[in-house]
Amino acid sequence: MKVRLPSRRALLSLAIAVAAPFAAQPAAAQFYWSPPDMSAPPLTDEAATTALGLPGATAAEVKAGLAWNMRAALNVAALQCQFEPTLLTVGNYNAMIAHHDAELDAAQATLLGYFQRTVGKGKPGQSASDMYNTRIYSGYSTVQAQKGFCQEAAEVGRQAIFADRGTLNEVGRTGLASIKKSLVLAGEQFYGTPGYDYAVALPSFAPKCWKKGVLQPACRQAWNEQTGAKP
């Protein structure tokens, strides 16, 4: 009895059919089964002056701030998100710098001009510009919300490297609001975040509650009521 084996074409068709449901899934979940919604409306010029910390900025200065903050956000992501290599945050940042170098150089000069205009020419403006850079870098650094930030920065970073030269500010206008939203802790939506929801209830450390290192009965009772523990 001869056993007829399937042809190579049939096997290929079967493999494609099996893989298709998986290929169709969105690439949203390095960390989550159901990721938090980080969508946010694009920043208007007025909203951007507040979000970027550039009060009184002109339209050109807002564009510079959007591009420069994109650089800062993706730089922080490249440094903090290497624990998940598939996010490609390092590659995204390096490619973004190479692709948008001219716009970033112009943005840096424009922002320096903003601080020299609003703070003072020479050393005062330069010092204010330096402090601004430190502040925005610190502003994109997070610990508890790191996974959400890394996921969102990777998404916006991919948009940045495929955007036309000279349009990094437009990527910032549409993407920075969601990156800033991701800095607020929001974890797994389907299963919840039991690790993050856990809170430690401590007894009162008021002097009246302690005598020779022993928690006094009234304060112990209050602590038990706080934690729901039975005496």
Side-chain angles (χ1 to χ4, degrees):
M1 178 180 178
K2 293 183 179 180
V3 178
R4 187 172 183 178
L5 298 176
S7 67
R8 183 179 298 178
R9 179 175 297 179
L11 288 173
L12 180 59
S13 299
L14 177 61
I16 292 173
V18 171
F22 299 97
Q25 297 299 315
Q30 269 86 357
F31 305 122
Y32 310 111
W33 289 102
S34 179
D37 179 15
M38 298 301 180
S39 60
L43 292 169
T44 63
D45 279 8
E46 183 178 3
T49 59
T50 301
L52 305 180
L54 298 171
T58 65
E61 289 164 347
V62 167
K63 285 186 176 182
L66 290 168
W68 198 248
N69 272 259
M70 275 300 305
R71 179 187 185 278
L74 298 185
N75 193 355
V76 172
L79 295 171
Q80 292 193 348
C81 304
Q82 296 182 50
F83 66 91
E84 180 47 77
T86 62
L87 291 174
L88 304 177
T89 51
V90 175
N92 287 347
Y93 174 71
N94 290 334
M96 181 272 297
I97 290 292
H99 188 50
H100 298 288
D101 57 340
E103 183 179 0
L104 289 169
D105 288 344
Q108 185 178 28
T110 300
L111 287 178
L112 178 58
Y114 164 82
F115 287 106
Q116 290 182 337
R117 176 174 66 82
T118 58
V119 179
K121 292 186 178 298
K123 187 175 181 180
Q126 182 64 62
S127 296
S129 178
D130 294 341
M131 287 189 289
Y132 178 75
N133 281 321
T134 301
R135 187 164 66 250
I136 63 174
Y137 272 80
S138 299
Y140 291 112
S141 180
T142 180
V143 176
Q144 284 194 325
Q146 190 177 46
K147 290 181 179 179
F149 166 73
C150 291
Q151 189 84 53
E152 198 60 30
E155 176 70 24
V156 178
R158 283 192 290 273
Q159 297 171 18
I161 63 178
F162 289 109
D164 292 339
R165 284 186 171 89
T167 63
L168 183 61
N169 67 92
E170 295 177 12
V171 179
R173 190 179 294 277
T174 58
L176 279 173
S178 61
I179 288 179
K180 286 182 175 292
K181 184 177 178 180
S182 74
L183 296 170
V184 179
L185 175 62
E188 170 60 46
Q189 300 300 290
F190 187 82
Y191 292 104
T193 54
Y196 290 119
D197 294 341
Y198 179 77
V200 177
L202 298 175
S204 172
F205 290 100
K208 66 179 183 179
C209 287
W210 298 87
K211 187 175 181 179
K212 295 182 179 180
V214 177
L215 183 62
Q216 297 304 292
C219 296
R220 179 175 292 278
Q221 181 180 354
W223 185 31
N224 289 337
E225 291 174 355
Q226 181 185 1
T227 60
K230 296 181 180 180

